């Protein structure tokens, strides 16, 4: 049996076929194999030529070239009939499998080049898990059903290093990057909200300024952290000229929401948390905003990454 070697001319579809007995290598075009298989099915030169959109004489030349290269007759033909020889029947079976494999390989290569298949690891803050992330994943699943997406909830301080270590391909966070090895793109902005227990006396109708809760206890991330998000929180309290009384520190939004629901304090969070908040909390919108950025490695040219960035931009544009 002849052994298929690796493709040596991807553009023309030519392959090498090595003769095991002589060691001689012969060139062969995948299209010629397709002509052979079509004729092996039709067993009629004129019908096959019409089906393959070539002339009958051209089809005959391709078959003759195959037979000359292989050194065996593939068809028995006379004025009335065309039938496969034993060698032709053998090659029909082998080449049918070959083309099935080749077509699958070529299709996979095209999908990889277009970013239609692949893997993506996304790091994100807890807030987007309640709003942006579900919509993004639904759109990605619709457009690219062959993707595998891994989600990692990660603190902003750890996100850049996770990108450099290739633990993540893309980060979503509240802070623009200042690292020259990374790219960032502004996706959008949303308001901060004051988060209160449901039984709290303050309502949106009676709320006028944050100074009205200056004596209340707060549940917040550590205001000692040096991140843009924490800078935004400090700026909010500075605008009302008071330092919050911090009862509990936490960097995890779901934890903060549940603690507020238990009446252990108030908090200030991005409004997107309202989309998946537990029972027992209420929100009052504040006139301050936080932004959301996409962050990725500057040298990452993956088509999968580019596709997800396009989907993100389109989602925020709407």
């Amino acid at each position: 049996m002849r052994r298929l070697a690796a493709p040596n001319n991807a553009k023309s579809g030519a392959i090498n076929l090595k003769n095991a007995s002589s060691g001689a290598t012969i060139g062969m075009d995948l299209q010629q194999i397709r002509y052979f298989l079509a004729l092996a099915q039709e067993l009629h030169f004129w019908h096959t030529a019409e089906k393959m959109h070539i002339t009958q004489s051209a089809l005959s030349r391709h078959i003759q070239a195959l037979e000359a290269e292989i050194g065996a007759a593939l068809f028995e033909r006379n004025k009335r009939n065309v039938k496969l020889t034993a060698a032709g029947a053998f090659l029909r079976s082998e080449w049918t499998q070959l083309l099935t494999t080749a077509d699958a390989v070529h299709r996979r290569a095209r999908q990889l080049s277009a970013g239609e298949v692949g893997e993506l690891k996304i790091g994100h803050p807890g807030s987007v898990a309640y709003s942006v992330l579900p919509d993004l994943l639904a759109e990605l699943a619709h457009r690219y059903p062959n993707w595998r997406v891994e989600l990692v909830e990660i603190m902003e301080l750890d996100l850049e290093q996770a990108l450099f270590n290739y633990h993540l391909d893309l980060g979503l966070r509240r802070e623009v990057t200042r690292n020259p090895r990374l790219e960032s793109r502004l996706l959008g902005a949303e308001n901060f909200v004051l988060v209160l227990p449901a039984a709290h006396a303050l309502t949106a109708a009676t709320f006028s300024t944050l100074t009205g809760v200056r004596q209340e206890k707060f549940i917040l991330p550590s205001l000692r952290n040096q991140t843009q998000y924490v800078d935004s929180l400090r700026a909010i309290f500075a605008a009302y000229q008071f330092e919050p009384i911090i009862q509990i520190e936490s960097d995890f939004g779901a934890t903060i929401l549940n603690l507020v629901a238990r009446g252990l304090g108030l908090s200030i969070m991005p409004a997107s948390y309202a989309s998946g908040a537990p029972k027992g909390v209420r929100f009052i919108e504040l006139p301050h905003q936080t932004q959301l950025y996409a962050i990725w490695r500057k040298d990452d040219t993956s088509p999968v990454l580019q596709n997800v960035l396009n989907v993100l931009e389109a989602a925020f544009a709407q």
Side-chain angles (χ1 to χ4, degrees):
M1 174 180 172
R2 295 178 177 85
R3 177 170 60 85
L4 287 178
N8 68 349
N9 189 337
K11 191 171 183 179
S12 68
I15 61 175
N16 283 338
L17 207 63
K18 190 171 184 180
N19 188 301
S21 60
S22 68
T25 300
I26 54 179
M28 188 170 295
D29 194 298
L30 286 176
Q31 188 60 41
Q32 287 183 319
I33 296 177
R34 291 188 174 94
Y35 291 145
F36 163 80
L37 291 175
L39 182 57
Q41 180 181 4
E42 297 286 337
L43 295 177
H44 193 290
F45 273 86
W46 187 84
H47 289 163
T48 303
E50 186 177 54
K51 179 180 179 180
M52 301 302 290
H53 306 292
I54 60 173
T55 65
Q56 186 172 334
S57 60
L59 176 61
S60 296
R61 288 195 299 271
H62 282 298
I63 299 302
Q64 289 167 2
L66 277 178
E67 292 176 323
E69 289 184 357
I70 293 167
L74 304 180
F75 296 94
E76 293 178 6
R77 34 205 181 298
N78 55 40
K79 291 184 177 180
R80 291 188 176 183
N81 298 308
V82 176
K83 68 177 183 178
L84 285 164
T85 64
F90 168 73
L91 288 177
R92 176 182 60 185
S93 174
E94 293 294 314
W95 283 350
T96 297
Q97 296 178 49
L98 166 68
L99 283 188
T100 299
T101 301
D103 288 343
V105 168
H106 296 169
R107 181 169 58 254
R108 183 74 173 185
R110 288 192 298 270
Q111 290 174 330
L112 287 167
S113 178
E116 295 173 359
V117 296
E119 297 184 359
L120 190 74
K121 291 172 284 190
I122 303 176
H124 64 90
S127 60
V128 301
Y130 294 88
S131 57
V132 176
L133 208 53
D135 292 339
L136 170 64
L137 294 176
E139 184 63 21
L140 291 179
H142 173 69
R143 293 196 192 189
Y144 305 106
N146 295 318
W147 276 13
R148 179 181 179 273
V149 179
E150 180 181 341
L151 301 177
V152 180
E153 185 171 344
I154 189 169
M155 295 175 60
E156 295 204 10
L157 290 171
D158 301 326
L159 189 143
E160 291 193 358
Q161 192 58 50
L163 285 168
F164 292 140
N165 292 340
Y166 293 86
H167 296 156
L168 296 176
D169 302 304
L170 176 70
L172 302 176
R173 72 175 193 183
R174 302 288 175 183
E175 182 174 353
V176 67
T177 184
R178 296 178 176 85
N179 193 301
R181 296 164 57 194
L182 297 173
E183 291 278 5
S184 60
R185 184 178 299 175
L186 176 63
L187 298 175
E190 62 179 317
N191 281 71
F192 278 103
V193 291
L194 177 65
V195 190
L196 313 96
H200 198 281
L202 187 63
T203 67
T206 59
F207 177 80
S208 58
T209 174
L210 205 60
T211 54
V213 294
R214 65 186 306 158
Q215 300 303 320
E216 301 265 7
K217 294 178 180 178
F218 278 84
I219 306 168
L220 296 166
S222 173
L223 296 185
R224 297 182 298 276
N225 290 342
Q226 298 302 311
T227 67
Q228 189 169 318
Y229 177 73
V230 170
D231 286 347
S232 298
L233 291 176
R234 286 196 293 262
I236 292 173
F237 291 110
Y240 297 97
Q241 300 180 342
F242 75 94
E243 291 283 338
I245 303 169
I246 299 180
Q247 171 79 358
I248 301 171
E249 289 185 350
S250 175
D251 291 306
F252 298 99
T255 300
I256 292 174
L257 287 172
N258 283 301
L259 294 175
V260 172
R262 294 291 298 272
L264 297 177
L266 313 183
S267 190
I268 294 177
M269 305 175 75
S272 53
Y273 275 107
S275 301
K279 294 181 180 179
V281 295
R282 290 191 291 106
F283 301 89
I284 297 176
E285 188 173 283
L286 299 174
H288 308 275
Q289 287 194 325
T290 179
Q291 297 173 319
L292 185 67
Y293 295 86
I295 311 289
W296 66 96
R297 292 182 298 276
K298 185 174 288 187
D299 61 357
D300 191 341
T301 59
S302 162
V304 171
L305 174 64
Q306 189 55 56
N307 285 343
V308 75
L309 289 172
N310 292 340
V311 171
L312 273 170
E313 282 199 335
F316 276 88
Q318 294 173 2

